[in-house]
Amino acid sequence: MSKKLLSKGKYARMLKLTTDDGIVDALALDQRGSLVKGMKTAAAKYGKLFSMDMVYNFKQTVSEILSPYSSAILLDDQMGFKGIEAKSVDTGLIMSYEKTGYDANEPGRLPSLIPDQSAQIMVQRGADALKVLLYFNPNDPDEINDQKKAFAQRYGIEGVAAETPTFLEIVTYDDRYDSSSLEFAKEKPELVLKSMREFTQDKYHIDVLKMEIPFNPKFVAGWNKDASDSAYTEAEAKDYLKQLSDEATRPFIFLSAGVPTNVFQRELKLAGDAGAKFNGVLSGRATWLEGVDIFARDGRDGLVDWLKHKGTRNVTELTQILSDNATPWFEAYGGKDNIQVVDISNIQ
């Protein structure tokens, strides 16, 4: 395997974002539109008047209590500014660079960056890495996907210039089907595998791919007693995880996609059993979602109590699962000894 070249800045920041063992054990808290919607629903349930301060303070509290247990935390500057201030100084900071959601009036779920930010601005605000979410269907027409591929290249190149690791989150879709449907579940493995095959290429300059589990756990035979149909056996689901790993040419981690905590843990253990060489997680709602309802009902004190018990347990259990099943990020390049760190700071 040829040497992997990494700038001194990127290499140092990757070490800041990972555990001593080189695992990405990160907490995702950059949800914006979905969190606002969930908080509004929870507030109405308890007869409370919603305000954006609820979102700001929720992120602040979760970051304050849980970030010390995580190697990094993903936050947005728009609604998570209090969370950024509250995070542990020893925890790496990944900042969201994309606008929340997408324009439903335009075909293709095209991405858009936050207009008053740049890689360099986010670094100046304390970011150790950047994250962009890209909705991607590899079977969409070229006129749509060519725009997304060019977008990913621009994003990656900007990270190179700023010596900042770039995380690219790929969420697959097919506009013909609901994402929770059996029809989409049958399609999902192919979509996720094709997405990995595309964006793992060197030309995108992506440092960490944030990937979906390549199946819907609701439709794994024997995993959901309420399901009348299945899309795959457990053996097939396990094989998809190994195929995904075999496609990767750079570090990749899994997103939790809002599944219950125990389901996400089961998925990660299956990935380990499959021999998938994944390098960690960015776990969001699977870790803290229950806290939204508690915060709306009982305020900060209730949320702090829940976080110190259940939320913290969610994080520490995940840390143990990663210790048993994930591999260090630098192993994707053949180990630390196969990484050549170069100094580009003098380039003007």
Side-chain angles (χ1 to χ4, degrees), residues 238 241-242 245-246 269-278 325 327:
K238 186 175 178 180
L241 289 161
K242 183 61 168 63
S245 174
D246 290 345
K269 290 175 183 176
L270 188 67
D273 290 344
K277 304 298 183 183
F278 72 103
N325 295 281
T327 60

Side-chain angles (χ1 to χ4, degrees), residues 321-337:
I321 290 170
L322 293 176
S323 177
D324 294 339
N325 295 281
T327 60
W329 68 271
F330 42 79
E331 292 300 330
Y333 300 126
K336 278 187 177 180
D337 291 341

Side-chain angles (χ1 to χ4, degrees), residues 31-310:
Q31 288 78 359
R32 284 158 279 178
S34 62
L35 181 56
V36 169
K37 182 179 179 181
M39 193 67 75
K40 284 181 176 178
T41 300
K45 178 180 175 181
Y46 296 108
K48 304 288 182 66
L49 184 64
F50 170 81
S51 74
M52 283 302 299
D53 281 337
M54 296 178 73
V55 176
Y56 306 149
N57 294 336
F58 177 83
K59 292 195 176 201
Q60 178 186 38
T61 306
V62 174
S63 177
E64 176 188 334
I65 304 299
L66 296 188
S67 68
Y69 299 93
S70 304
S71 68
I73 185 168
L74 168 62
L75 281 158
D76 59 290
D77 198 32
Q78 297 165 301
M79 300 182 192
F81 52 91
K82 284 188 174 182
I84 291 172
E85 293 174 357
K87 81 169 187 69
S88 167
V89 295
D90 297 321
T91 302
L93 174 62
I94 308 169
M95 288 182 66
S96 292
Y97 193 7
E98 83 282 355
K99 290 181 181 178
T100 184
Y102 54 87
D103 187 348
N105 296 315
E106 292 286 333
R109 307 189 188 191
L110 296 174
S112 183
L113 297 179
I114 299 170
D116 63 349
Q117 290 192 354
S118 70
Q120 197 59 54
I121 289 171
M122 286 187 279
V123 169
Q124 291 167 356
R125 292 178 181 175
D128 300 299
L130 316 176
K131 184 238 80 180
V132 160
L133 183 155
L134 184 70
Y135 292 97
F136 190 67
N137 179 348
N139 301 320
D140 267 350
D142 288 345
E143 56 263 31
I144 290 173
N145 283 344
D146 285 350
Q147 294 182 64
K148 295 181 179 180
K149 293 172 185 179
F151 172 88
Q153 287 189 27
R154 288 195 296 270
Y155 167 56
I157 290 292
E158 190 177 359
V160 171
E163 292 193 64
T164 311
T166 48
F167 285 60
L168 184 65
E169 177 179 357
I170 308 293
V171 175
T172 56
Y173 70 94
D174 186 329
D175 285 329
R176 296 176 301 171
Y177 307 121
D178 185 278
S179 61
S180 63
S181 68
L182 175 63
E183 290 80 9
F184 184 71
K186 292 177 178 178
E187 238 188 48
K188 187 168 187 174
E190 177 197 8
L191 299 180
V192 177
L193 289 168
K194 283 185 174 180
S195 298
M196 171 68 89
R197 197 172 300 139
E198 178 62 40
F199 293 103
T200 196
Q201 295 181 71
D202 289 343
K203 67 181 180 180
Y204 293 106
H205 300 280
I206 298 303
D207 295 290
V208 181
L209 285 163
K210 183 183 176 188
M211 303 299 296
E212 297 172 289
I213 297 289
F215 55 82
N216 185 331
K218 291 196 309 182
F219 296 106
V220 177
W223 280 34
N224 182 5
K225 60 182 176 59
D226 297 323
S228 57
D229 295 298
S230 62
Y232 4 73
T233 65
E234 184 175 287
E236 288 171 331
K238 186 175 178 180
D239 185 57
Y240 293 138
L241 289 161
K242 183 61 168 63
Q243 288 183 54
L244 185 71
S245 174
D246 290 345
E247 292 286 354
T249 63
R250 66 203 55 248
F252 79 99
I253 62 177
F254 286 119
L255 62 112
S256 61
V259 300
T261 304
N262 64 319
V263 174
F264 190 46
Q265 292 176 350
R266 187 174 187 178
E267 291 172 332
L268 297 176
K269 290 175 183 176
L270 188 67
D273 290 344
K277 304 298 183 183
F278 72 103
N279 308 110
V281 298
L282 255 168
S283 177
R285 289 167 290 175
T287 300
W288 49 256
L289 183 60
E290 292 176 52
V292 174
D293 195 78
I294 290 165
F295 181 65
R297 185 188 66 200
D298 300 328
R300 174 181 163 83
D301 289 345
L303 178 60
V304 168
D305 182 69
W306 182 86
L307 289 169
K308 286 185 175 180
H309 295 88
K310 184 63 164 63

